[in-house]
Amino acid sequence: MAKKIKIALPMADDYKARTIDDIKDYFDIEKLFVYFKDGRLMTWLTERHYNKEAAELEKIKKLDAQSDDDDMKIKEALCKLFGQEFKSEELKNIDTDELLSRAAKKKKLLQYTSDQRIIDNIDHVAFEQDELDALAHDDDVHEIYLGVNEFVIPLDVGNKKYIGIVKTGRKAVAVIKSDEPVDFDAKDIVFKDIDFDDKYAEKDSNPEKYLQLANDTDDKKQKEEYLIKAAEAGSAKAMSELGDFYEDEKQYDQAKKWYEKAIEKGEANAYCGLGLIYRDGKGVTKDEYKSFELFKKGAELGDSNSMCALGYAYLYGTTGYADSI
């Protein structure tokens, strides 16, 4: 028979408690209260044969059933069970309902993924529409993780990146309430690992559909075709990605053409690509002055690659760069 793995309880400083002494040394009443409410504390005690403490916990459970949602009484009893001082004044401003809701959300999230980056950003995860709406209208939130569900994307809010949490091959579905294709680049809205609802995805002129398809395929020919369709539908991002694609394929005339088109549409990322073509003389006469100006413009528009290239230009560049400082 396989040995059963005993659960540990993360306490203060996320220390994983495996003994009663661990709980006492790293005592955290709010976490312990959550474990009491969701049953993990009783499981933890019984698995380790802390029979006396388990019996006391049963009494606290009865008190909980009779206390008419008086959480402070429960917390006081839990402190007493583990020999800790009950500091009622420190606990008054803590929203217990929010703690329990967050714990339930984390439990659900762990059924989707073990990606620690997502778990650490649990407050930016949405499983339901109301959660998405709240996050989308929070100016401090720029990345939102979506569970497997359908979500109406607020088109009035920009500077958002929606990332799907893929579960057994299933993705979140973005419902776009628009009769016309949306210029997501202009709105600074980005999607990753998310499908569009059928009605919107069927629009032949929908650039996001083709961008998604291009990013999902490893077939170069298909990738090129999808990027061209997205670019022809007006996506500046697709134009810039086409420039990257053709540069990788050493088709520098095509790369230059698409970088220039992307720049005309205001795509900051394209400045670095075009700058590198001029810096290295790829299919054009080498022009380090022109590359410097392109890097500088891309950096001013917030493109991180242009900033990096500009830094190297200042650090290792020719006298011409120095003259531009």
Side-chain angles (χ1 to χ4, degrees):
M1 180 182 293
K3 185 177 180 180
K4 183 177 180 182
I5 299 176
K6 298 177 181 178
I7 64 169
L9 295 179
M11 297 297 290
D13 300 325
D14 280 332
Y15 184 87
K16 292 181 171 54
R18 292 179 171 82
T19 69
I20 286 283
D21 287 339
D22 288 343
I23 287 183
K24 293 178 180 179
D25 291 342
Y26 296 89
F27 193 76
D28 185 324
I29 185 57
E30 295 306 329
K31 288 185 177 180
L32 203 65
F33 179 76
V34 170
Y35 302 148
F36 166 74
K37 283 288 192 178
D38 66 20
R40 274 183 285 174
L41 181 56
M42 179 60 79
T43 300
W44 188 91
L45 291 171
T46 54
E47 282 182 344
R48 287 163 173 76
H49 305 293
Y50 288 119
N51 299 326
K52 178 182 176 182
E53 288 78 5
E56 289 298 317
L57 195 65
E58 282 290 351
K59 294 178 183 178
I60 298 175
K61 287 174 66 178
K62 292 179 181 177
L63 174 64
D64 185 33
Q66 301 166 359
S67 63
D68 194 26
D69 294 328
D70 190 344
D71 296 335
M72 297 296 279
K73 286 184 179 179
I74 304 305
K75 292 174 184 178
E76 183 178 9
L78 289 171
C79 287
K80 183 177 179 181
L81 174 60
F82 292 98
Q84 304 294 312
E85 181 183 357
F86 176 63
K87 302 176 182 179
S88 59
E89 289 302 316
E90 295 179 10
L91 301 176
K92 283 183 178 178
N93 295 326
I94 296 175
D95 190 333
T96 299
D97 289 339
E98 183 177 340
L99 282 171
L100 292 173
S101 175
R102 195 170 189 272
K105 189 174 184 180
K106 184 174 182 179
K107 185 177 180 180
K108 184 174 182 178
L109 179 60
L110 289 172
Q111 296 173 1
Y112 277 71
T113 182
S114 59
D115 187 328
Q116 194 58 47
R117 181 168 182 266
I118 299 176
I119 294 169
D120 290 343
N121 285 279
I122 189 170
D123 293 327
H124 294 180
V125 173
F127 290 110
E128 303 295 337
Q129 184 67 44
D130 59 341
E131 295 174 324
L132 168 60
D133 290 339
L135 290 170
H137 289 87
D138 186 333
D139 292 338
D140 294 327
V141 177
H142 304 297
E143 288 192 352
I144 302 173
Y145 297 90
L146 301 180
V148 179
N149 202 347
E150 287 194 355
F151 297 90
V152 177
I153 304 300
L155 300 178
D156 60 328
V157 184
N159 193 19
K160 303 294 177 185
K161 182 176 184 179
Y162 297 99
I163 305 169
I165 308 173
V166 182
K167 183 180 181 182
T168 59
R170 297 166 60 217
K171 299 179 181 179
V173 175
V175 178
I176 308 299
K177 298 289 189 179
S178 174
D179 293 331
E180 299 296 329
V182 178
D183 187 346
F184 291 109
D185 289 336
K187 293 178 176 292
D188 197 11
I189 296 176
V190 177
F191 297 94
K192 181 180 179 183
D193 292 328
I194 290 175
D195 291 329
F196 288 96
D197 64 294
D198 291 342
K199 182 178 178 181
Y200 189 75
E202 286 171 359
K203 296 181 185 296
D204 289 337
S205 56
N206 172 15
E208 288 297 325
K209 167 187 174 181
Y210 294 111
L211 266 175
Q212 184 72 52
L213 289 170
N215 290 326
D216 287 345
T217 183
D218 294 323
D219 185 289
K220 286 186 178 180
K221 188 62 178 175
Q222 280 193 338
K223 187 179 188 73
E224 179 185 14
E225 290 175 358
Y226 290 141
L227 285 175
I228 288 174
K229 286 185 177 181
E232 289 176 344
S235 170
K237 182 178 179 181
M239 295 173 191
S240 183
E241 289 191 18
L242 261 176
D244 294 340
F245 176 85
Y246 285 124
E247 186 175 357
D248 289 342
E249 296 299 305
K250 296 182 171 54
Q251 298 182 42
Y252 300 124
D253 286 347
Q254 286 293 315
K256 179 175 176 292
K257 180 185 83 171
W258 286 107
Y259 282 141
E260 288 173 342
K261 284 180 176 290
I263 286 172
E264 288 175 8
K265 293 273 289 183
E267 179 64 26
N269 295 339
Y271 282 92
C272 184
L274 187 59
L276 291 173
I277 282 181
Y278 277 102
R279 187 195 70 180
D280 300 332
K282 296 176 177 177
V284 297
T285 301
K286 187 173 181 177
D287 189 336
E288 292 179 321
Y289 294 95
K290 187 174 182 64
S291 71
F292 177 82
E293 292 302 321
L294 287 164
F295 295 150
K296 189 176 180 181
K297 181 61 176 178
E300 289 171 352
L301 293 174
D303 175 51
S304 59
N305 290 329
S306 295
M307 294 176 190
C308 184
L310 184 63
Y312 275 102
Y314 277 121
L315 189 59
Y316 300 111
T318 65
T319 304
Y321 296 149
D323 292 342
S324 301
I325 297 174

